[in-house]
Amino acid sequence: MLKKQFCDQLFFVEVYVGRAMHRFRLVTFDVIGTLLNFRTPPPTFYSEAASLFGIKAQPSNIASVFLSEYEKQSSLHPNFGQQTGIGWKKWWNQLVVEVLEKATNSQYSRTKYDSVAEYLITAYKDGEQYNVADGAQDLLSYLQQTNTILGIISNYDERLHCVLNSLDLNKYFNFVLTSYEAGIEKPSTKIFEKALDLAMKIDSNVSPTCALHIGDKIETDYQGATKAQWKCALLKKNKDELLIKRLQKDGVLTNYVFNDLSELKARLPHI
């Protein structure tokens, strides 16, 4: 109870650079679709990579099979192969090969498909294939200046550290928690609890009532965070009537839905 009162009072009593601070002591971010966006849509980049090895695979054909193959691979080997012991490299290799085989009706040798997979695994290891989302740098700088504990909670493999380093984003974060290394995927509350434990090593006053997660997925980000008793800011552009109905059906609070990180930064002191 005392921690909750402490957090709730921060908004009213703290002032930073002449204006009220936000009330959160811990803020964590999802990565893909939140902090980072793909420079090239993956189906297009997969097609371009395949062409380097003499494989003709149309982006539309890749896109048509990618999601189903991704879900199949995730079901067989959860958390990028961490739970079944195959490891994330083999996990991605198998996914890429399956996608390309189906997109090309297995017209080429397994050796060629493996070569494309290896190329893609390496290509996504740094920041070359990503753009930092609009407003991300401003929001991160603001949060860092207000002494907020910052973290990453992402369903991702070990390459995320290299990606963040190459984009010079690692300097903002007190910790980076990938599902692969944690052994837990969102939306499990356990990964949010693990993040909270890391934050409490920095500030023992941190509690779920002081924690905010920022992401773009209803199930993994919003529902995962709220089940852990955190708040969640959900990023959703182009909110049409159908999306609004889905958000309401899933119990999403509309005052925690934002078009982008710039809007979130502007409204953060008031949520």
Side-chain angles (χ1 to χ4, degrees), residues 84-105:
T84 56
I86 68 169
W88 63 267
K89 288 183 180 179
K90 187 173 181 179
W91 191 95
W92 281 106
N93 178 277
Q94 290 181 356
L95 175 64
V96 172
V97 170
E98 289 291 330
V99 167
L100 291 178
E101 283 183 342
K102 285 185 170 54
T104 61
N105 294 314

Side-chain angles (χ1 to χ4, degrees), residues 3 6-7 23-27 205-212:
K3 284 186 178 180
F6 173 79
C7 293
R23 65 187 179 92
F24 300 103
R25 309 310 297 157
L26 167 64
V27 176
N205 287 311
V206 174
S207 71
T209 58
C210 302
L212 174 72

Side-chain angles (χ1 to χ4, degrees), residues 26 191-201 206-208 211 230:
L26 167 64
I191 196 167
F192 291 95
E193 292 167 0
K194 187 177 285 285
L196 195 69
D197 288 342
L198 292 172
M200 289 182 68
K201 292 179 181 179
V206 174
S207 71
W230 293 31

Side-chain angles (χ1 to χ4, degrees), residues 28-230:
T28 62
F29 289 80
D30 171 51
V31 177
I32 305 301
T34 301
L35 276 181
L36 304 179
N37 297 308
F38 292 111
R39 286 182 182 269
T40 304
T44 300
F45 189 62
Y46 275 44
S47 175
E48 293 172 351
S51 69
L52 297 176
F53 298 89
I55 296 175
K56 294 182 179 179
Q58 294 300 318
S60 58
N61 292 336
I62 293 172
S64 69
V65 299
F66 185 87
L67 182 58
S68 62
E69 290 304 314
Y70 185 95
E71 291 176 345
K72 176 183 175 183
Q73 183 77 342
S74 297
S75 177
L76 291 172
H77 303 287
N79 199 7
F80 307 100
Q82 183 270 337
Q83 290 188 21
T84 56
I86 68 169
W88 63 267
K89 288 183 180 179
K90 187 173 181 179
W91 191 95
W92 281 106
N93 178 277
Q94 290 181 356
L95 175 64
V96 172
V97 170
E98 289 291 330
V99 167
L100 291 178
E101 283 183 342
K102 285 185 170 54
T104 61
N105 294 314
S106 301
Q107 297 178 42
Y108 305 93
S109 69
R110 175 62 187 255
T111 301
K112 282 195 172 185
Y113 291 130
D114 281 334
S115 296
V116 179
E118 184 64 30
Y119 176 87
L120 289 168
I121 288 168
T122 302
Y124 284 111
K125 193 174 182 178
D126 59 33
E128 285 297 315
Q129 301 307 318
Y130 301 96
N131 286 320
V132 179
D134 292 342
Q137 297 276 9
D138 286 344
L139 176 58
L140 289 168
S141 295
Y142 163 71
L143 291 170
Q144 191 175 65
Q145 290 167 6
T146 57
N147 294 318
T148 305
I149 299 170
L150 294 175
I152 293 284
I153 304 178
S154 176
N155 288 351
Y156 210 108
D157 59 58
E158 298 170 332
R159 290 174 298 173
L160 182 56
H161 299 283
C162 295
V163 171
L164 295 173
N165 286 339
S166 66
L167 294 171
D168 199 29
L169 292 177
N170 58 303
K171 64 185 179 184
Y172 293 108
F173 296 103
N174 299 97
F175 62 86
V176 174
L177 192 58
T178 69
S179 63
Y180 190 86
E181 293 163 299
I184 313 162
E185 288 184 285
K186 296 180 295 184
S188 172
T189 58
K190 291 182 179 180
I191 196 167
F192 291 95
E193 292 167 0
K194 187 177 285 285
L196 195 69
D197 288 342
L198 292 172
M200 289 182 68
K201 292 179 181 179
I202 302 170
D203 181 355
S204 60
N205 287 311
V206 174
S207 71
T209 58
C210 302
L212 174 72
H213 179 65
I214 302 170
D216 67 316
K217 303 290 191 303
I218 295 174
E219 180 182 359
T220 53
D221 293 310
Y222 191 89
Q223 293 180 352
T226 54
K227 285 179 182 177
Q229 306 303 311
W230 293 31

